[in-house]
Amino acid sequence: MSASPTVYVTEPLQVYLEDAAGDKPAPGGGSVSACAGALGAALVSMVCNLTRGREKFADVETEMTTLVAASEAARRRLEQLLQEDTTAYNGVITAFKMPKETAEEQAARSQAIQDGLIIAADVPLEICRVAVEVCRLSKVAAGLGNPQAVTDAGIGAILGEAAVVGAALNVRINLGSIKDEAYVRRAAAEIDEIQAEAAALRAEVLVITLAKL
Amino acid sequence: MSASPTVYVTEPLQVYLEDAAGDKPAPGGGSVSACAGALGAALVSMVCNLTRGREKFADVETEMTTLVAASEAARRRLEQLLQEDTTAYNGVITAFKMPKETAEEQAARSQAIQDGLIIAADVPLEICRVAVEVCRLSKVAAGLGNPQAVTDAGIGAILGEAAVVGAALNVRINLGSIKDEAYVRRAAAEIDEIQAEAAALRAEVLVITLAKL
């Protein structure tokens, strides 16, 4: 591991895409899901910015100000998670390299692997939580925002849901190796709930969007 | 319009996200959909790159070489479309500013608007075509690629489908103003067909992926 890892949001978009396409495991599907969620959050902000400050939409000025604060917070958080996910699995990789000669070493190594796996699951779980919020915010944007930007609100929900389902796959693959049954049960239930909410929101926002075309 | 438009793939990812969030209409949902599709294509390439050249997967070496060529071609095309979409509506904007005093001017302006709208619909239509190809390639990656990267293949299909549905919204909004009925019928039928194929592929790839977790 290099002492200064690549900070992807400050690198050219092309570099992020090249590194995602390359033969290193990071950035992988978790980071890319966070990126899709951040793109969705950006579109919600755009709808707000094409609505507020215009006399025609003065009646939703307060809602748009609240909405853009929330969508920008979600975007910033997803930009962080896009980065965090690129190193989320490092703890597991390091733990696998630990010595395993004695029973004591084996126990320490096993515990370190388990600790690492929980971090590797927690990062995409947090991506799911923020991405479903993007879907909720897209619904407000589709309902109240400038109708000329309604497809952008719709695409916000589509990308929020894609980020949820994508990151949920990375939660699930790690849950398969985690021995803490209470953690596994709790996390599995949470992603099921988030996926159901995101799917419902995507469908609702598409109905609102198509009705306004 | 500036003489040198921002070339987004060479700009920091943060700049693309900021500009998408800002109060200019571009980059909007069409470009962002192309970006999501490019991210999905990158993940298919990653699966290939984590599979080929490994003795364990020698039996699929030929398939992986063919697959990565196709996914990299799709990624490059979507990177171009990400850029093209940021100016796809410019023709319509320019046409709206044309003089409309005389009957002749009105006819010329009206024709220029219609020509511009067809370009504005053609770009996201092309995004749909390439993004559904990403879904097809993800299915091959999920089926034949390194099972340790199967979630990345799954996320490739999720993002390909999101790009299809997102770009299709931008096709539809433009079709609403296009008077060439044959074009409208043909484009509407094509996006319906692409959306159905993408939805089926996303579902199939998720089944393959979940079975391998």
Side-chain angles (χ1 to χ4, degrees):
Chain A
M1 297 296 128
S2 145
S4 356
T6 309
V7 177
Y8 282 109
V9 291
T10 64
E11 290 288 325
L13 172 52
Q14 184 89 67
V15 169
Y16 184 68
L17 286 160
E18 294 287 343
D19 281 11
D23 65 358
K24 285 177 298 182
S31 173
V32 163
S33 296
C35 186
L39 290 166
L43 290 178
V44 175
S45 299
M46 188 177 88
V47 176
C48 294
N49 287 323
L50 292 171
T51 307
R52 62 185 183 157
R54 299 191 183 191
E55 211 174 329
K56 204 171 159 187
F57 306 115
D59 56 325
V60 294
E61 188 70 19
T62 312
E63 288 86 344
M64 288 298 125
T65 303
T66 308
L67 184 58
V68 76
S71 57
E72 287 295 277
R75 177 162 74 88
R76 278 190 301 272
R77 184 72 186 114
L78 286 162
E79 287 175 12
Q80 287 167 351
L81 289 161
L82 171 168
Q83 187 67 34
E84 279 177 37
D85 192 82
T86 62
T87 53
Y89 205 72
N90 285 1
V92 182
I93 295 167
T94 307
F96 271 115
K97 292 175 187 156
M98 285 169 67
K100 47 177 179 176
E101 298 291 307
T102 68
E104 212 169 53
E105 282 174 354
Q106 282 165 23
R109 179 174 175 274
S110 186
Q111 185 59 50
I113 292 171
Q114 287 298 312
D115 292 347
L117 284 166
I118 286 182
I119 294 169
D122 273 343
V123 174
L125 180 55
E126 181 68 8
I127 295 169
C128 290
R129 290 182 187 128
V130 187
V132 71
E133 176 69 4
V134 173
C135 296
R136 293 183 199 119
L137 302 174
S138 298
K139 187 178 169 185
V140 181
L144 300 179
N146 185 337
Q148 287 201 298
V150 74
T151 63
D152 301 298
I155 299 167
I158 292 162
L159 292 176
E161 196 263 352
V164 164
V165 181
L169 285 178
N170 273 13
V171 177
R172 282 183 216 283
I173 200 170
N174 288 306
L175 291 186
S177 310
I178 293 174
K179 290 175 185 160
D180 178 342
E181 285 177 25
Y183 178 88
V184 171
R185 232 184 351 257
R186 207 167 49 236
E190 187 175 355
I191 54 173
D192 283 347
E193 199 179 309
I194 290 174
Q195 272 194 252
E197 184 185 353
L201 283 165
R202 168 175 145 148
E204 284 176 57
V205 177
L206 282 176
V207 168
I208 297 169
T209 303
L210 291 169
K212 289 190 179 184
L213 289 192
Chain B
M1 298 295 129
S2 144
S4 356
T6 309
V7 177
Y8 282 109
V9 291
T10 64
E11 290 288 325
L13 173 53
Q14 184 89 67
V15 168
Y16 184 67
L17 285 160
E18 294 286 344
D19 281 12
D23 65 358
K24 285 178 297 181
S31 173
V32 163
S33 296
C35 185
L39 290 166
L43 290 177
V44 175
S45 298
M46 188 176 88
V47 176
C48 294
N49 286 324
L50 292 171
T51 307
R52 59 184 185 157
R54 299 191 184 194
E55 212 174 329
K56 203 172 160 188
F57 305 114
D59 57 325
V60 293
E61 188 71 18
T62 313
E63 287 86 343
M64 288 299 126
T65 303
T66 308
L67 184 58
V68 75
S71 57
E72 287 296 277
R75 177 162 74 88
R76 279 190 299 273
R77 184 71 185 115
L78 286 162
E79 288 175 10
Q80 288 168 350
L81 288 161
L82 171 168
Q83 187 66 33
E84 277 176 39
D85 192 82
T86 62
T87 53
Y89 205 72
N90 285 0
V92 181
I93 295 166
T94 307
F96 270 117
K97 292 176 187 156
M98 285 168 69
K100 49 177 178 176
E101 297 291 306
T102 67
E104 213 168 52
E105 283 174 353
Q106 283 165 24
R109 178 174 176 273
S110 186
Q111 186 58 51
I113 292 170
Q114 287 298 313
D115 293 347
L117 284 166
I118 286 182
I119 294 169
D122 274 342
V123 175
L125 179 55
E126 182 67 9
I127 295 169
C128 290
R129 289 180 188 129
V130 187
V132 71
E133 176 69 5
V134 173
C135 297
R136 292 183 199 119
L137 302 173
S138 299
K139 188 177 167 185
V140 181
L144 301 180
N146 185 337
Q148 288 201 299
V150 73
T151 63
D152 300 298
I155 299 168
I158 291 163
L159 291 177
E161 195 263 355
V164 165
V165 181
L169 285 178
N170 274 13
V171 177
R172 281 184 217 283
I173 200 171
N174 287 305
L175 292 186
S177 310
I178 292 174
K179 290 175 185 159
D180 178 342
E181 285 176 25
Y183 178 89
V184 171
R185 231 183 353 256
R186 206 167 51 236
E190 187 175 354
I191 53 173
D192 283 347
E193 199 178 309
I194 290 174
Q195 272 194 254
E197 185 185 351
L201 284 165
R202 169 176 144 148
E204 284 176 56
V205 177
L206 283 176
V207 168
I208 298 169
T209 303
L210 291 169
K212 291 191 178 183
L213 288 193

